[in-house]
Amino acid sequence: MLNIGKYTFESRLLLGTGKFSDLEVQSQAVEASETEVLTFAVRRLNLEERNQKHFLDTLDLDKYTLLPNTAGASNAEEAVRIAELARASGLCDMIKVEVIGDGITLLPDPIETYKACEILLEKGFTVLPYISDDVILAKRLQLLGVHAVMPGASPIGAGRGIINPYNLEIIIEQAVVPVIVDAGLRSPKDAAYAMELGADGVLLNTAVSGSRDPVNMAKAMRMGVEAGRLAYEAGMIPVKRYAAASSPVEGMIHT
């Protein structure tokens, strides 16, 4: 089970809803992923003027928990304003705090992210900050009281997989809240690796929506997350420098 604040989920795969070619494909991919949490950019939905159909109209919202995010915010003030808009719309009190600090790498701004989290926690939100794989920032945010941390595996949409497993391992080892690896993953192998490291969940978007067949990729990612989690729970053998025979040597017949 994945527990985030007052919420509990059986699936450990969270899915973004941007960049799908059309709403039908998106709906099928969501179904194939078996996710229970859907994230979306509040700024990409016109919550006040519902003249155009969007993904909220194509899904059975009783089956999913919505995780609005503050994509598009460049400082804490903007992130808080977007979060309040999402909550006022009655969608969910969970918020993925995303404050981008650089227009080229799209890496998050750690200082503005921290400020936004501090304000949103005071306002009673369930707060999930998107951060880089910064061990100290992850620790500071947990001390602040966030409900999960979401370190990136590599820059958003880069498809480079996990470029610094050491930092992710340290974040996971020291975590007192769920660690959800977010951004940069490309393949089910990446998703499985994140889970093998001990992550509590994985959030994907471009890896699914940008693939040639988003529906089958969503299914593959689900299986990758499940396989990685099973491997983590089962316990993998230690890495050794030299070979170790897989059959016992005692009692062997010598010729």
Side-chain angles (χ1 to χ4, degrees):
M1 291 289 187
L2 172 60
N3 299 303
I4 303 174
K6 63 187 178 185
Y7 298 94
T8 299
F9 308 104
E10 293 187 10
S11 172
R12 294 178 180 274
L13 173 60
L14 292 71
L15 193 65
T17 56
K19 294 185 176 180
F20 284 88
S21 58
D22 61 63
L23 295 177
E24 180 60 27
V25 171
Q26 182 185 65
S27 179
Q28 292 178 23
V30 168
E31 190 76 23
S33 74
E34 297 187 10
T35 186
E36 297 170 84
V37 180
L38 296 171
T39 186
F40 64 97
V42 175
R43 278 191 162 180
R44 294 194 175 94
L45 295 183
N46 190 337
L47 297 171
E48 295 175 337
E49 297 180 15
R50 295 290 304 276
N51 297 326
Q52 293 186 338
K53 188 175 182 180
H54 56 57
F55 84 96
L56 294 177
D57 300 315
T58 67
L59 300 170
D60 178 2
L61 295 182
D62 291 335
K63 293 173 57 178
Y64 305 102
T65 297
L66 298 178
L67 174 59
N69 66 60
T70 64
S74 59
N75 56 52
E77 182 180 329
E78 290 178 4
V80 170
R81 189 162 58 245
I82 293 170
E84 289 181 323
L85 174 62
R87 185 162 69 176
S89 302
L91 297 176
C92 186
D93 73 339
M94 278 206 304
I95 188 75
K96 174 186 168 185
V97 178
E98 184 173 323
V99 183
I100 299 302
D102 179 71
I104 297 176
T105 62
L106 299 182
L107 290 172
D109 184 321
I111 296 172
E112 293 298 316
T113 298
Y114 187 94
K115 289 179 182 176
C117 289
E118 188 171 32
I119 297 169
L120 291 168
L121 287 167
E122 290 175 355
K123 290 178 176 289
F125 282 86
T126 299
V127 178
L128 296 75
Y130 164 62
I131 59 175
S132 58
D133 56 1
D134 185 322
V135 175
I136 305 305
L137 177 61
K139 184 182 290 187
R140 290 287 184 90
L141 286 166
Q142 290 174 77
L143 289 172
L144 185 65
V146 300
H147 300 84
V149 289
M150 308 182 78
S154 53
I156 293 172
R160 301 181 68 86
I162 298 173
I163 58 176
N164 193 343
Y166 175 80
N167 274 25
L168 279 184
E169 282 187 298
I170 298 298
I171 290 173
I172 290 166
E173 284 176 7
Q174 298 184 353
V176 295
V177 299
V179 177
I180 300 168
V181 175
D182 180 7
L185 302 184
R186 177 174 180 266
S187 72
K189 176 186 69 176
D190 297 331
Y193 186 26
M195 300 304 292
E196 288 176 7
L197 292 175
D200 296 280
V202 162
L203 191 152
L204 301 166
N205 193 150
T206 305
V208 173
S209 65
S211 68
R212 187 168 61 248
D213 184 343
V215 178
N216 275 330
M217 184 59 79
K219 181 179 179 181
M221 289 295 189
R222 170 176 60 79
M223 297 171 75
V225 169
E226 292 175 353
R229 183 64 187 184
L230 279 174
Y232 173 74
E233 292 177 346
M236 290 165 282
I237 62 171
V239 176
K240 297 178 181 176
R241 185 175 181 84
Y242 299 109
S246 55
S247 299
V249 295
E250 294 82 7
M252 292 185 68
I253 298 173
H254 296 281
T255 59

